Each structure stands twice: as structure tokens, then as C-alpha cells.
Amino acid sequence: MSIVLINPNSTASMTAAMLHGARLAAPDLVFDGWTSHGGPPAIQGAADGALAVPPLLELVREASNMGASGIIIGCFDDTGLDEAREIAACPVIGIGQAGYHMATLLAGRFSVVTTLGVSVPVLRANIDAQGFAPHLGRVRASEVPVLALEADPDAAHTAILRETRAAMAEDDVRCVVLGCAGMVDLPVRLSAETGATVIDGVTAAARLMAALAGLHTAPAAQLLPQV
Amino acid sequence: MSIVLINPNSTASMTAAMLHGARLAAPDLVFDGWTSHGGPPAIQGAADGALAVPPLLELVREASNMGASGIIIGCFDDTGLDEAREIAACPVIGIGQAGYHMATLLAGRFSVVTTLGVSVPVLRANIDAQGFAPHLGRVRASEVPVLALEADPDAAHTAILRETRAAMAEDDVRCVVLGCAGMVDLPVRLSAETGATVIDGVTAAARLMAALAGLHTAPAAQLLPQV
Amino acid sequence: MSIVLINPNSTASMTAAMLHGARLAAPDLVFDGWTSHGGPPAIQGAADGALAVPPLLELVREASNMGASGIIIGCFDDTGLDEAREIAACPVIGIGQAGYHMATLLAGRFSVVTTLGVSVPVLRANIDAQGFAPHLGRVRASEVPVLALEADPDAAHTAILRETRAAMAEDDVRCVVLGCAGMVDLPVRLSAETGATVIDGVTAAARLMAALAGLHTAPAAQLLPQV
Amino acid sequence: MSIVLINPNSTASMTAAMLHGARLAAPDLVFDGWTSHGGPPAIQGAADGALAVPPLLELVREASNMGASGIIIGCFDDTGLDEAREIAACPVIGIGQAGYHMATLLAGRFSVVTTLGVSVPVLRANIDAQGFAPHLGRVRASEVPVLALEADPDAAHTAILRETRAAMAEDDVRCVVLGCAGMVDLPVRLSAETGATVIDGVTAAARLMAALAGLHTAPAAQLLPQV
Amino acid sequence: MSIVLINPNSTASMTAAMLHGARLAAPDLVFDGWTSHGGPPAIQGAADGALAVPPLLELVREASNMGASGIIIGCFDDTGLDEAREIAACPVIGIGQAGYHMATLLAGRFSVVTTLGVSVPVLRANIDAQGFAPHLGRVRASEVPVLALEADPDAAHTAILRETRAAMAEDDVRCVVLGCAGMVDLPVRLSAETGATVIDGVTAAARLMAALAGLHTAPAAQLLPQV
Amino acid sequence: MSIVLINPNSTASMTAAMLHGARLAAPDLVFDGWTSHGGPPAIQGAADGALAVPPLLELVREASNMGASGIIIGCFDDTGLDEAREIAACPVIGIGQAGYHMATLLAGRFSVVTTLGVSVPVLRANIDAQGFAPHLGRVRASEVPVLALEADPDAAHTAILRETRAAMAEDDVRCVVLGCAGMVDLPVRLSAETGATVIDGVTAAARLMAALAGLHTAPAAQLLPQV
């Protein structure tokens, strides 16, 4: 069966872009992309996240029932990740979580560049809760709204490049995790421009799903975390 | 170039067994196995670990200079991991570290079953320092010495099976990480016998190296962590 | 980019089953499955077909705009096929059409076994219009409603097997095309039971898409038929 | 076993060129090329075709007996196709037939550009008998003899290009099927020069054989058409 | 381009069997099988060999002109091998020669089991001329005529098994090369029955062609031996 | 299991270079590289060779016991080859031997260009003993010491190029085998500069190991040559 990438917001073009990125990153896996039509158009901050969870969990349950071999939650806030892990009979990875694991393994220490300042406390809380605080430089906002990533990509790139350079100069890091699902196309160019290792969460999640695929030594039901 | 798997202890047959496990786990990568002839025959506890570090770092430096594309430290104590990351121009992964990342992603929560009690505080300190404490059930000793894993495999299996079952019954976990490089062959059988997800560090490290291989968007030299 | 398989009816579980069948049939292609939520739950006869066309064409236009490299219309009535070919910038194949081409190439002559009698004149008209009349034995109804294929599979199988045997005995054919998207799982068993070559349209369409993939010697825009 | 491509005329260099084209088009299949030494050097018109049939059928019978998994008749006139299908225990495809199927699927409507005017009625009769008349623009002769394709390729190209352009201007088509086995190398260049989709029969037949390979759900003997 | 396997005798079914064996042995190469219709039905002894050479060299010249990337002479007598090497612009391997190289590399020392006694002096002369005399145990005749290998395979097997055992008992060898192109199917069974390493020339030649494929560091014309 | 490439001299950087060359030449095999720390830094002439044999045979025995599927002796003198074949339970190939087999198959006739004059009689004796004398032009010394190949590669190249040209002009050959393990990188450039086919022993041995891999029809123990 396939890995189902669920976009908790209702913007279908973002689902398509994430799906494309996941397929490039892990060509041996089969991905399906589902859009949560009941979610907000873009998740920015804790209030949006709370609204997005119930329809997201419906899709998680449906994907699990249809036999998905893995689920990726396609929002850098790791919206509903803990709840999804409780109800799914397969591994569930958040793209924020995936970016932190990869940055820790590759570089030991990292900063995050996200969209608006309203997302900063959400990401910091996730990093604390997931145990990555010892590896964190800083969570930085580029003040580029999610939907502006598609609408005005040049201005978005300029702002994110500026924050990436600031992270290298001020945060004592050489690795930056891009804190938004809509930034899946940016790492190659940003890395060439700055010399930093730049990681996006979709690519990270797709490659970690491929890595997990070789470890399934227990029946799927036993992959459920304790409740 | 190849991934160099360095065994910090001087037992060459253990290097060969780890190399075999890594190749099975990541058949698209090329692995070389190096044995640290200057290290102790087996590393059990902090004193052994301290003796093993200087000759290990010599080999890390040589592998890095010869152009290794990655280095795996083949001791579950993650002996010398931080120092190795400082001097290598390529990613360095410890097999303990790899096991913790994989268990966190797959199951959220895990216990460790290692060899002797003398290793328990070493592993607990690593888990704290690497930020995995929120995910840990318990670190358990099977009281099987490292070299007994090869010398008396049946008795070793019985003891490790007993501790795996105890972890499931007492630690509120359904995932166990095997805490010794010499346990690379055990997960399939233990998983079938207990219903737990059982992870060994060599397999985990090999698959994570494969996952990292798709992320190298920065020149190797920039993968160096900050010093 | 991917091949988009569009289900013109609103039953999402049927989309999932077709998507699974297409991936098994053409593992080198990437498929996405879209459900037409504005269509009827199942298309049976010409009236249902007419209702299904407008929302289907919306999805065809969207898939074409998003850069699909091919579109499969997942209804054996080839609902909206001609209109879809006019508006899409990529090849469009109907699963009925695909079944007729494959049966002609493999066996020269074939009968069709479909669901209800109300679909028979629709399929006969398609076969005439597409030029396959010289190869046709008979279009036969099993009188199994579309949704009964999932709801009562044993009774469905019995009825379809009976009609397949009747086709071989009465229509002078050794090849049967199954006339409903919901029959994607039946050919292996029916073929073993009857000795006939049994073809389903989803598998046929997926394999023909793979065959076309090697012929794209003209830019995509030139694949548009004349209007 | 292999797909046997049988050239019904006695020009061995043409067999070699078709074999090369088939291997490029379907690299996962194994092809053998057989030349009918008893046939005429080139088949042009119905009289040549009639002479070519008996020695061709001898080779079809031999290929079938030796266990061929498919047979391609390598003459655009589909010489002896019906008779060959009656005696072979495996699928038989003619390269004319293959071109018509592919053009219909890709573009809906097509013209044919062949060699001499003497072949035009033969091809028109085949198109009628095979049911492709609704899709046909016109069958056009370039007045290039078969053997001149190798002997004077520049003049041949000029004449075929002229007819391809005429087809687009006068026949209301954007797809042209090249009506001779010796034209296997022309589609890439002609397509670039004219903007049409240009299909040759050898490539089409090889790719359709690959498509059929996934459908063999019945024992080979049952693939025989009715007699 | 392809490797052309030329059978110097006129028995087409033997060509087909050798072609099948070569394809199994080197699935990454493309092989064509040509039969020398002007040669004797089977080559047994020096007189047959002399008659076979002129028509064989015609085919060698044609294969070389058509751009073959290698030629295998499919007769264990290495009929015409030296002359073929002089006129071909690509590597030419005889199946006898191939068997001797492989046996020398694998086992150091070998005996040959061929068909009739009349072939023994031919093979001994080849072994001397090619420099393999130091590695030879004995050339043994099973007294099974070439065409009896197909006509009465059980009796043939019994006789060849007896000679293989005699070679092991009397010739101080553990490796036997089967000295006839028609013995391509025997090594698996004979090896299991005797414990010897049993090599046939067609498999050996196909695998050596694959090995050579990685060495072509000079333009094809320079592969010509000195004349 | 793996192919173990054993370097009989103690220069580890040469082991790494040979290992790299073997992996490029036979990417489907798994190679391990072992250095004989008890051997001389470089083997030049018979006296060095004698000193290198005892520690080499220790490693051969260890590789065989650990289940190696093949052993390559990485010294062009084929140091200890006969003794190694007697004690190993798997095929053993020397890189000199491999070069002679490949040159004979590709070109019929060859010269050797080695390092110092002191190696010439050793190589000539090997060529005689292995039966390749009829194919030999001349063994030539470039007077480049082994360790100068790495230390002053430009001067080394000039001298080896001069001898390659002399071989072509004076020895009636168009194929040159490079007579030192340290020359693994030279064939591409030398071949382009001279028009000769230039073969190095490491590449030849790796590709012959791959060719042998398809012939193992007897249990490993029976691959042992007679003693």
C-alpha cells in the first residue's frame, strides 16, 4: 500500500507540490496526496492549528483503515501529530519532526526559518516537547505569509535568504530547517547561495519513511504507541 | 566513496558481523569495515570507553581524509561520537544514537536492553544528552557479556528475551532497542517471539545513512558541526 | 508528472481500488486518483452519464492545467471521453476504450460482460462509434448493480462467471472484457475458472498509458486532437 | 522466450534495422529477428503480398512451435496477419495494425504516409477491415520506393516531409503514421520539423507487445482466435 | 549493438538452444543467433570443420560489418576462430576457448568430455595451441554423437555422467568442461550428481563477453589482432 | 558474502585505490580490502615476494574461514597465488593472471609494461608457468618504482607512455597489460593517447570474478584445486 501525505489545510495546490517533492525524494515509495477540505486555507499559529485537527484526524483514520503503510502530516507545525499517532495503525511522521531529526543527525545543531512570527511559539513548543532543544539555535520568522510563497516567490526568496544568512551569522549554526511545507523547492538554491545545509520537512519525511520501511519487523498493529 | 563503519573495539569478527548487517540493511550503499586494533577487545562501561577513544579518533581522521562519505561508529555506547563529529568532514552517526532516532519515529516510546549493568549509566547519560529522555521507558541490563553473545548464543538469547518481555510488561513500551553492536542478528526472532518492535543500532544507522544520502545539498566541508 | 485517474462517480472506495489496480499493472508510472464528488454515486445508463460529465470535465481541466502527463477516465461507459480529449493537453484514455483495444490485439474477437441491462445500449453505441463492431461478439448484462460488486462479492462473482461461460458457449469468442470499473480484481479468478482471456479496463488502460509513454515525439500541446 | 519479429521480405538489412528499433522501443523484452528468404525483396502492392504469404506462414508456424511468446509481422501491409493469428499459439501483431491502434489512442484521428501509390488501396482496405475508418484522414503515397529509403535517404526524407505537411494542411489531422517498415528511424526528425505526432509501426508494435505482456491471464493456447 | 552468436553448423534448433543459454547466462547483453546454412548439420572431426569454415567466415564478416559488438563462434572445436579474429572488427570468442579460460580460473586443472573420439585430436590440438596444456587432465570421448544429444537425451546423459566420473577418478581433476555446444543444459544436473564443477562453453563465452564489455577502452577497430 | 581483495604489501593507500578500482569495475559485487601489515611496503622482485607470502597466506586463510566468496591477490607478481589456491575454499585470482586472460581473449597477443627491471624475470616466469607464452610480445620495465606512481604521477605517466608506444612499435602488439597494482587509474588516458587496448589487472580481476559468479554450480569446497 501507499504512504498517504495528508495536507491539513485546504489548499490543494500545496498538496500537489508536497506530493511532487515527496516522490522526488523517495522514488521507490508510492505516495498519495490528500487535502483536508475542512481545514483552514493555511495554518498560521495555534488557533488555526486547533481548527485543523478534527478534519485531519478523520482523514488519518480513513487512511489507516484503507491500509496505508505510513502517514505524513504535511504541516510544519506537526498539527495533530500526537493524536494521529494514537489512532493510526501505521507509522505517522510530521514534517517538522522529520526536519529536526535530519538536522540533528547531519549537523548536530540547527536553526529554523519559518513564515510569520505567530508560528514561532508553536514551533518552539514542539521542539521542546520532542526533545530537540539541546540542538536548537533559534526559531526565526521571515514574515512571509504561507500563501505569499506561491503568490510572490521572488520577494519570499529574498526574505528567507536574509534570515538564513542571519541564522549563520548570529546563531552559531551551519544548518537551517525551513519551517513551512510550502518551502519544499527552496533548499537547493538557498544552500548554493549561503553554504549552509538547508533542509525542508517534506523531503526529510519522505526519506525517513523510506528508512523505516526496512525496519518493520513487527505486525503493523504493534507499531501503535502506548495510549 | 564509501561509508566507513569503524568498530572501536579490537574484535575483528564483530566488525565482520556489523558489516554484514549494514550491507543487508542498505544494499545501495558501499560499506567498508575497519577494526580499531588499539582499542579494548570489548567496550563495557565508561572506563573501557575512555581507552577506546584515542585510537578510534585516529581512524576517524584517516577515513575522513580518504574521502569517506559517512562514518558509523559501531559501538552502542556512541563512544567518541561528539569528538568524531568535530574532526570529520562527513556525517558521523553512532549506532546508539541511530537506534534512539528510529525508535522515536516508529513508536514514540522505547526501552533499551543492553549487556552488563556497567553500561546502563553510560547509555542513560547518552539518552539524556541527546534529548531522548522524554521517549525512554528504561535502560535494562541482560547481564550477558558482549563476548558471550558469540560464545553462547542460546543462553544470550534467553536472557535478552526475558528482558524484552519485562520491558513490555513493566515499562509501558512496545518497542525495544537492543543495546549492543553484537545483537545485530536478533531483532527478527525477538520480534516474532514477543510482538514488540525490536531495533538494532547497526541496521538503524545503515538505513539513516541511506536517508541522509539524498539531503547533501551542501558541500561536504559544510557538514562539519560548529566547534 | 503523474497520470491522473479520474473516477467520474462519487464513490471514493472505488477510486482507491482502481488506483491500486493501475499501480499493480504499470509499476513504472506514477498515478494519482481523483474522485468526482459532484458526480452520481454510480453511473448506470445514459442518464447517470449525462449528469456525471460537467463535474468530470472540471477535473479534467484541472489535471491538464497541473501538468498531468496522461488522464484515465475511470468509468467503463467512457463517460465524457470525447469532450475530455478536446480540452486536455495530454492523452486521455477511457477504460472501456482500453479494454476494446487490448481484446482486439490479443484475441481478435471479444464479448463484454457488464452490470445492468441499462448499460448495454451505452456500451454498444461506444463500440460502434470507436470502430470495434467487427470484433464484437455480444454485450451482456450480469444484472449485478455496481455497488453490489463490493457489497456482495460472492453473488456478483457467480453471476459474472455464468455470463462469461455463456459468452464462450454462444458468442464464438474466447476473450471477455469486464464492463465495469469495479471488476478490476476479477480477471485472474475468472480466467482460471473458464479458460477465457479475461480483461478489465483499468489494467488495460494503465498498460496502454505505459505503452504510449515511449511515443511522445511531439510536444504535449500537439497531442490535442482536432477541434 | 522471445518475441520473434518476422520480416516477410528477403532484405536482411531491413530485418536488422527493425530489430534495432524494436529493442530500443521495448528494452525489457527479448527480440529475435527472422528474415523470410523465400519472400520478395520488398513488398509493394497486393501481388507482392500474395507471394510473400506462404513462406511467411512457415516461419510463423516454426516460431510458434519453438515457444515464441509473441510474433510481430514486420510489414506495414499486415501481410498474412489474419492467417498468422489462426495458426500461432501466441499473440500476433502487424506493424500497420499497431500504428493504427497507437494513433487512435494518442490523437483520435490520423493520416498515413506510405511509399508507392500501389500500396494505397492495400492499406485502405486494411484500415476498413480493422475498423479504423472513422479515425482516418487519408492514406498518402510519397512515391519513394521501399529500397530507396536506404539507398537515397535525403531524397526520401524530403518527399515524406512534404507529404506529412500536406496531411496536416489538408486532412485535418495532427498525427501521421509512417506506412513502411523501413521508416523506423524517421519519427524523431519529422516530428520536430512539423509539430505533428509521427508514429512508426515497429515502435508501436514493440510497445504494444510490452503492454500485452501484463495481461496473459489465460494459457497461451487460449489466446488463439476463433477459426 | 548486439553480440552475434554464430552456429557454424546448419542445425537451427541448436542455434536456438545456444541462444537461450547465452541469454540466461548474461541477461544484460543482447544476443542474436545466426545459423550457417552452408555448413554441415553437425561438426565432428577435422574434415567437417574444414567444410564449415568458408560459410562461417561469410557470416563473421557480415556481423562485423553490421556493427556487432562481439561474436561468439558456437562450436566447441573453435572452428575458424583464428581466421575470424583476423577479419572481425570486434572481439571474437570460441566456446571451447571460453570453457578452458573459465576452468583454469576456477579450478586450475580440468578434463574435457566431448562427443565422438574423432573430435579428441582436434580439441587436444586447440588446447595445445591456446596454451592450456599445463592445466589439462585428459580429453575424453563419451561416444555420444552430436545429434543424439537431442534425439536420445537419457542415453546421452548416462554416457556423459560415466565419463565425468571417470575423469574425477582417473585424471586428478575436480572440474570438467563439456566439449559440445549441444551440452548447454547439462552442467546443473551433472554437477549435483558428481560433486564436480561442470562448465559448458556457451555459458562461459556469454559471461566472458559480459566481462570484456567493461574493458573497451580502445576504439573497436583497435581490438583487431595483429595480422 | 564478499570478495576479499588482499594487498600483500603494507601500503594501505594502495589497498584503498585498488578497492575503488574493483568497485567501479564490478558494481554488482561487494568487495572488502585487506592490507597485509606484515608484508614489505612494496613488492619489487622475487626477494620481496618471498617475504610477503607467509603473512599473505594468513589473511587468505582468514578470508576463506570467514566465508569469502572469492579472493583477489592484489599484486601483479601473483605472489603466493598457487599456495593461496591450495588453502582457500573459494576461487582465488591474481591480478597478473587476470590481465593475461583478458588480453588473450580481447586481442590474442600482448606486451606487459611493469615498474622496475627486477620484476621482469618474475613476470616472465609467471607467464610461462600459466601458459600464456604463445600470446606474449615482451615484458618491459618502465623503471618507475612502485611508490613513485603515487609520489610523482606525471613523471610516471611519461615513462609508461613511452614504453607503451615502444611496445606497439617493436613488439607487434596492439594490447598492453600494465604490470603493477598501482597503475589502476592509467588505462583510459593511455588508451586514448596511444590507440592501444590498455588493461590493468585490478579491473580485469574484478570483472572475471563477476563472470565466475554465474558458474558456481558446485559446492564451494569442490572449487579447491587438486593438491
Side-chain angles (χ1 to χ4, degrees):
Chain A
M1 268 300 294
S2 58
I3 308 290
V4 180
L5 189 156
I6 307 180
N7 179 6
N9 70 52
S10 64
T11 306
S13 61
M14 200 177 294
T15 313
M18 285 194 281
L19 197 54
H20 186 64
R23 284 170 175 160
L24 286 178
D28 289 344
L29 299 184
V30 174
F31 291 94
D32 280 312
W34 294 7
T35 302
S36 177
H37 294 290
I43 299 174
Q44 290 170 138
D48 286 347
L51 284 173
V53 169
L56 166 67
L57 294 183
E58 273 313 290
L59 295 179
V60 167
R61 203 180 307 270
E62 186 178 338
S64 177
N65 289 344
M66 284 173 63
S69 55
I71 293 171
I72 294 174
I73 296 183
C75 173
F76 201 83
D77 287 5
D78 292 339
T79 312
L81 176 58
D82 290 340
E83 298 89 333
R85 293 172 70 104
E86 280 179 23
I87 62 177
C90 60
V92 182
I93 295 183
I95 64 171
Q97 175 195 35
Y100 311 143
H101 277 277
M102 283 300 213
T104 301
L105 284 163
L106 257 183
R109 209 175 136 70
F110 62 89
S111 283
V112 176
V113 175
T114 187
T115 50
L116 303 184
V118 71
S119 289
V120 171
V122 177
L123 300 186
R124 262 205 309 247
N126 288 349
I127 287 169
D128 276 353
Q130 295 179 21
F132 291 103
H135 306 288
L136 179 65
R138 191 157 25 140
V139 180
R140 293 167 165 273
S142 63
E143 299 306 341
V144 176
V146 172
L147 299 180
L149 289 165
E150 283 189 17
D152 188 354
D154 284 343
H157 172 263
T158 303
I160 295 164
L161 173 60
R162 188 192 57 230
E163 281 306 307
T164 302
R165 287 195 167 131
M168 296 176 76
E170 301 166 14
D171 304 352
D172 188 25
V173 299
R174 283 187 150 173
C175 176
V176 165
V177 181
L178 298 181
C180 176
M183 299 175 176
V184 62
D185 293 330
L186 300 180
V188 174
R189 183 168 168 199
L190 282 175
S191 165
E193 289 168 329
T194 63
T197 294
V198 181
I199 293 174
D200 77 279
V202 172
T203 300
R207 294 197 66 80
L208 284 173
M209 273 292 176
L212 293 183
L215 291 179
H216 283 199
T217 55
Q222 287 142 9
L223 297 176
L224 270 170
Q226 297 299 313
V227 292
Chain B
M1 268 300 295
S2 58
I3 308 290
V4 181
L5 189 157
I6 307 181
N7 180 7
N9 70 53
S10 64
T11 306
S13 61
M14 200 177 293
T15 313
M18 285 194 281
L19 196 53
H20 186 64
R23 284 170 174 160
L24 286 179
D28 290 344
L29 300 184
V30 174
F31 291 95
D32 281 310
W34 294 8
T35 302
S36 177
H37 293 291
I43 298 175
Q44 289 171 139
D48 286 348
L51 285 173
V53 169
L56 166 66
L57 293 183
E58 272 313 290
L59 294 180
V60 167
R61 203 180 306 270
E62 185 177 340
S64 177
N65 289 345
M66 283 173 64
S69 54
I71 294 172
I72 295 174
I73 297 185
C75 173
F76 201 84
D77 287 5
D78 292 339
T79 312
L81 176 59
D82 289 340
E83 298 89 332
R85 293 172 68 104
E86 282 179 22
I87 62 178
C90 61
V92 182
I93 295 183
I95 64 171
Q97 175 195 34
Y100 309 143
H101 277 278
M102 283 299 211
T104 300
L105 284 162
L106 257 183
R109 209 174 136 71
F110 62 89
S111 282
V112 175
V113 175
T114 186
T115 50
L116 302 184
V118 71
S119 290
V120 170
V122 176
L123 300 185
R124 263 205 309 246
N126 288 348
I127 287 168
D128 276 352
Q130 295 180 20
F132 292 102
H135 306 288
L136 180 66
R138 187 147 43 132
V139 180
R140 292 168 165 274
S142 62
E143 300 305 343
V144 176
V146 173
L147 299 180
L149 289 166
E150 283 188 18
D152 188 352
D154 284 345
H157 172 262
T158 303
I160 294 162
L161 173 60
R162 188 192 57 231
E163 281 305 309
T164 301
R165 288 194 166 131
M168 296 177 74
E170 301 166 14
D171 303 352
D172 188 24
V173 299
R174 281 186 151 175
C175 175
V176 165
V177 181
L178 297 182
C180 176
M183 298 175 177
V184 63
D185 293 331
L186 300 181
V188 174
R189 183 169 167 198
L190 282 176
S191 167
E193 289 169 330
T194 64
T197 293
V198 182
I199 293 173
D200 77 279
V202 171
T203 299
R207 294 197 66 80
L208 285 173
M209 274 293 177
L212 294 183
L215 291 180
H216 283 200
T217 56
Q222 288 143 7
L223 297 175
L224 270 169
Q226 299 297 315
V227 292
Chain C
M1 267 300 293
S2 58
I3 308 290
V4 180
L5 189 156
I6 307 181
N7 179 7
N9 70 53
S10 65
T11 306
S13 61
M14 200 178 293
T15 313
M18 285 194 281
L19 195 54
H20 186 63
R23 283 170 174 161
L24 287 179
D28 289 344
L29 299 184
V30 174
F31 291 95
D32 280 312
W34 294 8
T35 302
S36 176
H37 293 292
I43 298 173
Q44 289 170 139
D48 286 348
L51 284 174
V53 169
L56 166 67
L57 294 183
E58 273 313 290
L59 295 179
V60 167
R61 204 181 305 271
E62 185 177 339
S64 178
N65 288 345
M66 284 174 64
S69 54
I71 294 172
I72 294 174
I73 297 184
C75 173
F76 200 84
D77 287 4
D78 292 340
T79 312
L81 176 59
D82 290 340
E83 298 89 333
R85 293 172 69 104
E86 281 178 23
I87 62 178
C90 60
V92 182
I93 294 183
I95 65 171
Q97 175 195 34
Y100 310 142
H101 277 279
M102 283 302 212
T104 300
L105 284 162
L106 257 182
R109 209 175 136 70
F110 61 90
S111 283
V112 175
V113 174
T114 186
T115 51
L116 302 185
V118 71
S119 290
V120 171
V122 177
L123 300 186
R124 262 205 309 246
N126 288 348
I127 287 168
D128 276 353
Q130 295 179 20
F132 292 103
H135 306 289
L136 179 66
R138 185 142 49 126
V139 181
R140 293 168 164 274
S142 63
E143 300 305 342
V144 176
V146 172
L147 298 180
L149 290 165
E150 284 188 16
D152 188 353
D154 284 344
H157 172 263
T158 303
I160 294 163
L161 173 60
R162 188 192 57 230
E163 280 305 308
T164 301
R165 287 194 167 131
M168 297 177 75
E170 301 166 14
D171 304 352
D172 188 25
V173 300
R174 283 188 150 174
C175 175
V176 166
V177 181
L178 297 182
C180 176
M183 299 175 176
V184 62
D185 292 332
L186 300 181
V188 174
R189 184 169 167 198
L190 282 175
S191 166
E193 289 169 329
T194 64
T197 293
V198 181
I199 293 174
D200 77 278
V202 172
T203 300
R207 295 197 66 79
L208 285 172
M209 274 292 177
L212 293 183
L215 291 180
H216 283 199
T217 55
Q222 287 142 8
L223 297 176
L224 270 170
Q226 297 299 312
V227 292
Chain D
M1 266 301 292
S2 58
I3 308 290
V4 180
L5 189 157
I6 307 180
N7 180 7
N9 70 52
S10 63
T11 307
S13 61
M14 200 177 293
T15 313
M18 285 194 281
L19 196 54
H20 186 63
R23 284 169 175 161
L24 286 179
D28 289 344
L29 299 185
V30 174
F31 291 96
D32 280 311
W34 295 7
T35 303
S36 176
H37 293 291
I43 298 175
Q44 289 171 138
D48 286 349
L51 285 174
V53 169
L56 166 66
L57 294 183
E58 272 313 290
L59 295 179
V60 167
R61 205 181 304 271
E62 185 177 339
S64 178
N65 289 345
M66 283 173 64
S69 54
I71 293 172
I72 295 174
I73 297 184
C75 173
F76 201 83
D77 287 4
D78 292 339
T79 311
L81 175 59
D82 289 341
E83 298 89 332
R85 292 172 70 104
E86 281 179 22
I87 61 178
C90 61
V92 182
I93 295 182
I95 64 171
Q97 174 195 34
Y100 310 142
H101 277 279
M102 283 300 213
T104 301
L105 285 162
L106 256 183
R109 209 175 135 72
F110 62 89
S111 282
V112 175
V113 175
T114 186
T115 50
L116 302 185
V118 70
S119 290
V120 171
V122 177
L123 300 186
R124 261 203 311 245
N126 288 348
I127 288 168
D128 277 352
Q130 295 179 20
F132 291 103
H135 306 290
L136 179 65
R138 188 147 41 131
V139 180
R140 293 168 164 274
S142 62
E143 300 305 342
V144 176
V146 172
L147 299 181
L149 290 165
E150 283 188 18
D152 188 353
D154 284 344
H157 172 262
T158 303
I160 295 163
L161 174 59
R162 189 193 55 231
E163 281 305 308
T164 301
R165 288 194 167 131
M168 297 176 76
E170 301 165 14
D171 304 352
D172 188 26
V173 300
R174 282 188 150 173
C175 175
V176 166
V177 181
L178 297 183
C180 176
M183 298 176 176
V184 62
D185 292 331
L186 300 181
V188 174
R189 184 170 167 198
L190 282 176
S191 165
E193 289 169 329
T194 64
T197 292
V198 182
I199 292 174
D200 77 279
V202 172
T203 300
R207 294 197 67 79
L208 285 173
M209 274 292 178
L212 294 184
L215 291 181
H216 283 199
T217 55
Q222 288 142 8
L223 296 175
L224 270 170
Q226 299 298 314
V227 293
Chain E
M1 269 300 294
S2 58
I3 308 290
V4 181
L5 188 158
I6 307 179
N7 179 6
N9 70 53
S10 64
T11 306
S13 61
M14 201 177 292
T15 313
M18 285 194 282
L19 197 53
H20 187 63
R23 284 169 175 162
L24 287 179
D28 289 345
L29 299 184
V30 173
F31 291 95
D32 281 310
W34 294 7
T35 303
S36 177
H37 293 292
I43 298 175
Q44 290 171 137
D48 285 348
L51 285 174
V53 169
L56 166 66
L57 294 183
E58 272 314 290
L59 294 180
V60 167
R61 203 179 307 269
E62 186 178 338
S64 177
N65 288 345
M66 284 173 63
S69 55
I71 294 171
I72 295 175
I73 296 185
C75 173
F76 201 83
D77 286 5
D78 291 340
T79 312
L81 175 59
D82 289 341
E83 297 89 334
R85 293 173 68 106
E86 281 179 23
I87 62 178
C90 61
V92 182
I93 295 183
I95 64 171
Q97 174 196 34
Y100 310 143
H101 276 279
M102 284 299 213
T104 300
L105 284 162
L106 257 184
R109 207 174 137 72
F110 62 89
S111 283
V112 175
V113 174
T114 187
T115 50
L116 303 185
V118 70
S119 289
V120 171
V122 177
L123 300 185
R124 262 205 309 246
N126 288 349
I127 288 168
D128 276 353
Q130 295 180 21
F132 291 103
H135 305 288
L136 179 66
R138 188 150 37 134
V139 180
R140 292 168 165 274
S142 63
E143 299 306 342
V144 176
V146 172
L147 299 181
L149 289 166
E150 283 189 17
D152 188 354
D154 284 344
H157 172 262
T158 303
I160 295 163
L161 173 60
R162 187 192 57 230
E163 280 306 307
T164 301
R165 288 196 166 128
M168 296 177 75
E170 301 166 15
D171 304 352
D172 188 25
V173 300
R174 283 187 150 173
C175 175
V176 165
V177 181
L178 297 182
C180 176
M183 298 176 178
V184 62
D185 293 331
L186 300 181
V188 173
R189 183 169 168 199
L190 282 176
S191 166
E193 290 168 329
T194 64
T197 294
V198 181
I199 293 173
D200 78 278
V202 171
T203 300
R207 294 196 67 79
L208 285 172
M209 274 293 176
L212 293 183
L215 291 180
H216 283 200
T217 56
Q222 287 142 8
L223 297 175
L224 271 169
Q226 298 298 314
V227 291
Chain F
M1 268 301 293
S2 58
I3 309 289
V4 181
L5 189 157
I6 307 180
N7 179 6
N9 70 52
S10 64
T11 306
S13 61
M14 200 177 292
T15 312
M18 285 195 280
L19 196 54
H20 186 64
R23 283 170 175 161
L24 287 180
D28 289 345
L29 298 185
V30 174
F31 291 95
D32 281 311
W34 293 9
T35 303
S36 177
H37 293 291
I43 298 175
Q44 289 170 138
D48 285 349
L51 284 173
V53 169
L56 166 66
L57 294 183
E58 273 313 290
L59 294 180
V60 167
R61 203 180 306 271
E62 186 177 340
S64 177
N65 288 345
M66 284 173 63
S69 55
I71 294 171
I72 295 175
I73 297 184
C75 173
F76 201 84
D77 287 5
D78 292 339
T79 312
L81 175 60
D82 290 341
E83 298 89 334
R85 293 172 70 105
E86 281 179 24
I87 63 178
C90 61
V92 183
I93 295 182
I95 64 170
Q97 175 195 33
Y100 310 143
H101 277 278
M102 283 299 213
T104 300
L105 284 162
L106 257 183
R109 209 174 136 72
F110 61 89
S111 282
V112 175
V113 174
T114 187
T115 50
L116 303 184
V118 69
S119 290
V120 172
V122 177
L123 299 186
R124 263 206 307 248
N126 288 348
I127 288 168
D128 276 353
Q130 295 180 22
F132 291 102
H135 306 288
L136 180 66
R138 187 146 43 130
V139 179
R140 292 168 164 275
S142 63
E143 299 306 342
V144 176
V146 172
L147 299 180
L149 290 166
E150 284 188 17
D152 188 354
D154 284 342
H157 172 263
T158 303
I160 294 163
L161 173 60
R162 188 192 57 230
E163 280 306 309
T164 301
R165 289 195 166 130
M168 296 177 75
E170 301 165 14
D171 303 353
D172 188 26
V173 300
R174 282 187 150 175
C175 175
V176 165
V177 181
L178 297 182
C180 176
M183 298 175 178
V184 63
D185 293 331
L186 300 181
V188 174
R189 183 170 169 198
L190 282 176
S191 166
E193 290 169 329
T194 64
T197 294
V198 181
I199 293 173
D200 78 278
V202 171
T203 300
R207 293 196 67 80
L208 285 173
M209 274 293 178
L212 293 183
L215 291 181
H216 283 199
T217 55
Q222 287 143 7
L223 296 175
L224 271 169
Q226 298 297 315
V227 292

